Amino acid sequence: GNSVTQMEGPVTLSEEAFLTINCTYTATGYPSLFWYVQYPGEGLQLLLKATKADDKGSNKGFEATYRKETTSFHLEKGSVQVSDSAVYFCALSDLSQGGKLIFGQGTELSVKP
Amino acid sequence: GAVVSQHPSRVICKSGTSVKIECRSLDFQATTMFWYRQFPKQSLMLMATSNEGSKATYEQGVEKDKFLINHASLTLSTLTVTSAHPEDSSFYICSARDIAEPLNTEAFFGQGTRLTVV
């Protein structure tokens, strides 16, 4: 079945450091891929998305490119801020199951001043 | 962006009572809504898919008689935790997808409900 695997956290960085959170997926067909962010005590917010191979999603300085050849959708940001501290979830939409989202296990990011 | 409102955000109830959580899509219609449960420091576990006008589809291992789902309109789904026990304490999150958008577009999430059963 379809699945998503993220790098384990927690990830601790200093402010202005470069961020990479790895995400790989297994899927039949051509799912859309998403990164969601969850701040403490809140629901999930969409950070960015890509709906087909080679698409690059970007938002608030974060980027991720849909790589079909490596089945990856790694999240990157050139310079993180303390306010980026949150849990990040990689997800794919399972079109064979009505568009149900399949989530990775989440990666907690902590950015220190 | 589309807004999903979940209510209440926090609830404390006594063991043995029932609790209802509402999930509303405020500016779009949703034939399908999803209910998740999240344990501390863990990912979201899909509990069930709520379908407007029909029975919900539960994931394996989720007790449908304990977690009652009703999706009576295109903008409202409810999750009722019946005869709650302390082990039901968790963070419950709903999400919805716009009926007008393709299946490969994003789902929008409510802000979550922290349930504590004492």
Side-chain angles (χ1 to χ4, degrees):
Chain A
N2 296 343
S3 65
V4 176
T5 302
Q6 286 179 239
M7 65 184 286
E8 289 191 19
V11 174
T12 302
L13 296 173
S14 297
E15 205 165 22
E16 298 184 3
F18 184 86
L19 168 72
T20 299
I21 300 178
N22 289 340
C23 170
T24 57
Y25 67 91
T26 301
T28 54
Y30 304 95
S32 291
L33 301 174
F34 308 90
W35 276 100
Y36 283 86
V37 58
Q38 184 180 32
Y39 298 100
E42 298 184 14
L44 274 66
Q45 301 175 27
L46 178 69
L47 182 59
L48 53 83
K49 66 179 180 181
T51 57
K52 61 182 185 297
D54 300 324
D55 268 3
K56 176 186 283 189
S58 61
N59 185 27
K60 300 180 181 179
F62 291 89
E63 293 183 342
T65 301
Y66 190 161
R67 302 282 188 201
K68 191 171 184 297
E69 63 275 14
T70 54
T71 61
S72 65
F73 193 54
H74 304 322
L75 182 68
E76 296 182 337
K77 185 174 185 181
S79 176
V80 293
Q81 306 299 312
V82 173
S83 57
D84 293 328
S85 298
V87 180
Y88 293 82
F89 291 95
C90 185
L92 65 80
S93 63
D94 190 337
L95 300 183
S96 68
Q97 297 193 55
K100 180 171 69 175
L101 286 177
I102 307 294
F103 285 93
Q105 64 269 45
T107 302
E108 181 179 4
L109 170 66
S110 177
V111 181
K112 306 296 185 185
Chain B
V3 177
V4 173
S5 176
Q6 191 173 337
H7 178 80
S9 57
R10 290 180 178 272
V11 58
I12 300 173
C13 71
K14 291 185 177 180
S15 189
T17 62
S18 295
V19 174
K20 180 184 284 188
I21 302 170
E22 291 188 349
C23 180
R24 294 181 184 273
S25 56
L26 296 188
D27 49 3
F28 65 97
Q29 293 182 324
T31 50
T32 303
M33 293 186 177
F34 303 92
W35 287 95
Y36 296 86
R37 182 173 180 177
Q38 187 179 33
F39 293 98
K41 305 273 186 194
Q42 294 190 27
S43 189
L44 284 76
M45 181 191 79
L46 180 66
M47 299 174 64
T49 301
S50 171
N51 304 298
E52 187 267 336
S54 64
K55 292 183 178 181
T57 303
Y58 289 82
E59 296 297 305
Q60 192 170 14
V62 177
E63 299 177 61
K64 61 181 180 181
D65 293 331
K66 181 163 187 64
F67 298 100
L68 299 180
I69 290 172
N70 184 277
H71 193 154
S73 76
L74 289 173
T75 59
L76 174 65
S77 175
T78 60
L79 168 68
T80 301
V81 183
T82 63
S83 187
H85 289 95
E87 57 265 31
D88 298 325
S89 298
S90 194
F91 193 57
Y92 294 87
I93 309 175
C94 71
S95 75
R97 179 173 281 109
D98 191 333
I99 189 177
E101 298 295 329
L103 290 178
N104 64 347
T105 55
E106 66 269 30
F108 301 96
F109 285 79
Q111 60 268 51
T113 297
R114 171 71 59 193
L115 170 63
T116 303
V117 184
V118 297

